[in-house]
Amino acid sequence: MKSENNQKLNNIKHVPFLVAFLDSRGKKKYRLVNTSLVAFLNNRGYALYNGQVIRINENIAVIVEPKEVFQAITTYIKKYGNKSQYEAFSRQGEISLMKNKAVLLMLNRCTYKKLSSTKSKAYILFKNGVLKLRKEKKPKLISYCKINGFVWKENIIQRDYEKVFFKKAVFYKFTKKVSDNKQQHFTIVSAIGYLLHSYKNPRLPICVIFNDMNLRDEGYSQGGTGKGLIIDAISRFKNTVIINGKATDFRNDKFVFGIITHKTEIFVIDDPRKNFALEDIFSVLTSPITPVKRFKQLPPIPYCESPKFAATTNFTLKGSTASSKRRRYDVFLKNHYSDKFTPFDDFGHIFFDDWTKKEWQLFDNFMIYCLQKYLNNGFAKKDDRLLSLKMLKNEAGIDFIELMNSKYSELNLRYYKADLRDDLIQINNSRYGFLINHKSMLKRWIELYAELIKTHVKNGRESKGTYFEFQLD
C-alpha cells in the first residue's frame, strides 16, 4: 500500500531528481536521486572539461563552480517546484554538490569540440555573432547557435560587428606613423594578424617581438613608442595575460606559466630582463603547456589550445642561433613617439578610453583587415639587417661597429684579430679589456658583423697571428 501511495505522489508534477515518499508516520518527504540529478544537469549543458565543470548554452561555454550549480538548481526548484522540495534539496543537495561533489564527478565528459581556426580560416567572436574569415574570401557573420563547436564566453568581444571602411581609424593612422615605409607597416599588420589568428601551426612556433627601431644604447628606457598600445589593441580582441618580464626568472621559476588557462589566448612578456634569451621559452613555444601552481596540479594544455607568445622590449632579445631565428618575428617601430611626444599629443585623446562607438567600429575593422591580410599572405618579409645590427650592438657595443665600419670591413683583405682587439681596448679599456682572456668572444662578434654586411668569414693563422677575411658567398 505504501508503495502504491509513493507511486501516486510521484505522478504529481515535480522536479525530476526529487522523489516523493511517505515516511513511517505517513508524512510526505523528498529524497534526492543523484543519478537523476546528473541526467538533469547533462541535459542542460553541464559537463566535465579538463577536470572543471562547464555549462554550454547555444555553443557558449562558461566554467561554473559547485556553488553556482547549486544556486542554479535552487532557482529552478523555486520556479517549478514547491517549498518542501526546495527545503529537501537545500539539505541534501549541499552534501552532493558542495561537500563531496559526488554529482559533479558523475557528469558526462565534454565531447563537444571547441570552435577551432585552421591555417586558412579564422573566427572573431563578437557580441552579435561569430565573424568567419577565410583566405581570399569575404568575412561572414554567423549566429552562435549555428557554429560547429563551442566558444568561451570570456573570449567574446563585448561589441557588435558592423562593417565600415577602416582607413579613418586613429589606430590605423597610428600604425602608419610608427612605420618607416610601406613594407615595415606590413610587418606590423601581419604581426597583429598572426596574434589574432587562433590557429597554431606546429611548424611555425613564433614569438612576436616588438622593439624600437632606434639604435640608441641597448636597454635604454624608451617609453611611449607604441609597443604597449599595440599589445593593448590585441588584448581588446584576445584573452591576454601580460607578465612583468623584469620581475620574472624564466629559467628557474617553474610557476611562471601557472597563470595560463585554457582560455588564455595571448601571453605577453613585457620588458624582459637583459639576460633573457628566447631559448628560455622554447619549451612552451613548441610543446603543450602544463601550468604549475603552488600546491596544485593543473591539467596540461594541448599545443593547439595553448596561447601565442609576444614580447615588448627596449633591447634586442638574445637568440641568434638557427633555432632561435626560426622562432622569432621581430617588429621594429619607428621612433615617431616618445615620452616627450605621445599619441595623446598627436591625436588629442586617450586611445580606447575616449573612443566613440564609431571609432570602435573603425578600430575593429582595421584589426579584421590585419587578420585577413595575414590569412592571405602570411608574415611580411622582413629586413633582418636591422635585427643583426641591433643584436651586434647589444653584444659588442657601438664602438665595435663603428671601428669595423671604418677600418676592418674591406673585402678580401686580411685583418689580424690582435690588432682589432688592441684598437678596441685603446678606445674603451673598461668595456673591451676582457677580450685579452676571451678570444672566442671577439671571433663571435666578427661573425655577427659578417652577417650584417652579408659576407662570410675566412679565418686563418700565419706567423703574425690569427687573421680574418671577409668574402662574398
Side-chain angles (χ1 to χ4, degrees):
M1 184 68 180
K2 186 175 180 179
S3 176
E4 290 178 7
N5 288 336
N6 285 342
Q7 188 174 0
K8 288 179 181 178
L9 286 169
N10 286 312
N11 286 333
I12 301 171
K13 183 180 178 182
H14 67 294
V15 290
F17 44 84
L18 289 173
V19 174
F21 67 96
L22 295 176
D23 65 10
S24 58
R25 291 177 297 176
K27 187 176 180 181
K28 185 167 74 170
K29 299 281 188 179
Y30 290 96
R31 181 177 68 252
L32 175 63
V33 180
N34 283 347
T35 53
S36 298
L37 180 55
V38 169
F40 174 84
L41 292 172
N42 284 332
N43 289 336
R44 278 156 182 78
Y46 290 90
L48 285 176
Y49 183 82
N50 292 316
Q52 295 178 299
V53 179
I54 67 170
R55 188 182 187 191
I56 302 175
N57 182 32
E58 292 188 342
N59 295 324
I60 298 174
V62 292
I63 292 175
V64 289
E65 298 297 328
K67 183 179 179 181
E68 294 174 287
V69 180
F70 180 81
Q71 290 172 341
I73 296 172
T74 55
T75 299
Y76 176 87
I77 295 173
K78 281 181 181 179
K79 185 173 182 180
Y80 296 105
N82 56 47
K83 184 178 178 181
S84 297
Q85 290 173 324
Y86 179 83
E87 290 174 349
F89 181 78
S90 296
R91 292 190 304 272
Q92 300 172 55
E94 184 178 8
I95 296 172
S96 295
L97 286 170
M98 308 274 287
K99 291 185 179 178
N100 60 29
K101 302 177 184 177
V103 168
L104 300 181
L105 295 175
M106 293 164 63
L107 289 171
N108 290 340
R109 303 273 172 191
C110 180
T111 57
Y112 196 40
K113 300 237 181 204
K114 199 174 144 191
L115 183 68
S116 299
S117 298
T118 66
K119 187 176 181 179
S120 59
K121 182 172 62 180
Y123 299 97
I124 301 178
L125 312 179
F126 285 102
K127 194 164 67 170
N128 61 336
V130 178
L131 191 67
K132 180 179 180 180
L133 292 90
R134 291 176 293 170
K135 185 175 181 179
E136 306 294 350
K137 301 282 186 181
K138 289 183 179 180
K140 181 180 180 182
L141 193 66
I142 305 170
S143 169
Y144 279 96
C145 62
K146 293 182 179 179
I147 60 175
N148 188 24
F150 75 85
V151 301
W152 295 112
K153 184 177 181 179
E154 281 185 32
N155 292 348
I156 296 175
I157 301 163
Q158 293 304 301
R159 299 187 297 277
D160 287 337
Y161 166 71
E162 184 177 332
K163 185 177 180 180
V164 295
F165 187 60
F166 67 82
K167 288 198 173 180
K168 289 185 179 180
V170 293
F171 191 75
Y172 166 74
K173 294 175 183 177
F174 158 79
T175 60
K176 294 289 283 185
K177 291 190 176 189
V178 295
S179 305
D180 210 28
N181 51 53
K182 186 176 180 180
Q183 184 60 26
Q184 192 200 355
H185 185 250
F186 186 25
T187 66
I188 296 173
V189 166
S190 64
I192 292 173
Y194 167 78
L195 292 171
L196 294 181
H197 190 201
S198 299
Y199 172 71
K200 290 192 70 174
N201 186 341
R203 300 183 64 183
L204 194 69
I206 292 290
C207 178
V208 177
I209 303 166
F210 293 98
N211 201 341
D212 305 314
M213 189 181 292
N214 196 356
L215 286 175
R216 65 176 68 241
D217 288 339
E218 289 288 308
Y220 179 89
S221 181
Q222 180 67 10
T225 57
K227 303 183 292 288
L229 270 182
I230 292 177
I231 294 299
D232 199 351
I234 292 165
S235 74
R236 307 292 168 153
F237 273 74
K238 291 292 182 181
N239 192 316
T240 302
V241 167
I242 302 175
I243 193 167
N244 184 339
K246 276 202 167 110
T248 307
D249 182 358
F250 286 90
R251 293 178 189 173
N252 302 306
D253 187 354
K254 66 179 181 179
F255 302 113
V256 169
F257 303 109
I259 55 176
I260 292 176
T261 72
H262 281 80
K263 292 175 286 186
T264 306
E265 297 173 294
I266 306 290
F267 187 94
V268 179
I269 304 168
D270 182 38
D271 197 13
R273 299 176 181 181
K274 198 164 184 181
N275 66 349
F276 174 83
L278 204 60
E279 287 87 345
D280 296 342
I281 59 169
F282 267 12
S283 61
V284 290
L285 279 180
T286 59
S287 307
I289 296 175
T290 303
V292 179
K293 285 189 176 180
R294 297 182 192 278
F295 315 114
K296 190 173 183 181
Q297 180 65 45
L298 298 173
I301 301 174
Y303 176 78
C304 61
E305 294 183 22
S306 64
K308 289 188 172 182
F309 283 76
T312 62
T313 180
N314 296 317
F315 63 90
T316 307
L317 300 188
K318 294 179 180 177
S320 58
T321 64
S323 293
S324 293
K325 287 179 179 178
R326 287 196 306 270
R327 290 170 172 82
R328 66 187 298 160
Y329 188 79
D330 292 82
V331 179
F332 294 99
L333 304 187
K334 177 182 174 183
N335 291 80
H336 181 78
Y337 297 109
S338 66
D339 54 353
K340 294 183 175 60
F341 179 66
T342 68
F344 178 84
D345 298 323
D346 197 3
F347 293 97
H349 69 266
I350 300 173
F351 276 37
F352 310 114
D353 290 347
D354 294 341
W355 282 359
T356 62
K357 180 181 178 181
K358 182 67 176 177
E359 191 59 53
W360 277 108
Q361 289 172 346
L362 291 166
F363 166 72
D364 288 343
N365 278 265
F366 171 63
M367 299 295 274
I368 291 164
Y369 163 79
C370 293
L371 177 49
Q372 186 69 63
K373 193 80 170 170
Y374 177 76
L375 285 175
N376 293 347
N377 303 292
F379 277 118
K381 186 178 180 182
K382 14 180 211 98
D383 181 3
D384 287 331
R385 189 176 184 278
L386 183 57
L387 174 60
S388 298
L389 181 58
K390 287 178 72 73
M391 291 189 75
L392 180 58
K393 188 172 181 292
N394 187 35
E395 291 199 26
I398 192 64
D399 291 329
F400 173 81
I401 297 171
E402 291 177 348
L403 179 61
M404 293 297 290
N405 287 342
S406 63
K407 194 173 177 180
Y408 292 93
S409 59
E410 292 292 328
L411 294 176
N412 304 315
L413 286 181
R414 288 187 179 181
Y415 298 110
Y416 294 93
K417 293 179 182 178
D419 293 341
L420 173 58
R421 180 197 63 206
D422 293 344
D423 283 347
L424 287 168
I425 292 172
Q426 186 176 0
I427 291 170
N428 190 337
N429 182 59
S430 61
R431 173 75 171 83
Y432 298 109
F434 79 99
L435 291 173
I436 294 174
N437 299 314
H438 293 82
K439 297 178 181 179
S440 62
M441 184 61 72
L442 186 60
K443 180 184 177 183
R444 170 173 167 74
W445 292 353
I446 293 168
E447 289 171 348
L448 287 174
Y449 184 79
E451 284 185 26
L452 180 65
I453 62 174
K454 299 189 182 303
T455 63
H456 72 269
V457 184
K458 176 184 176 183
N459 292 291
R461 176 184 290 275
E462 56 185 25
S463 58
K464 288 181 66 177
T466 58
Y467 65 87
F468 63 94
E469 185 178 318
F470 294 119
Q471 297 178 343
L472 292 175
D473 293 333

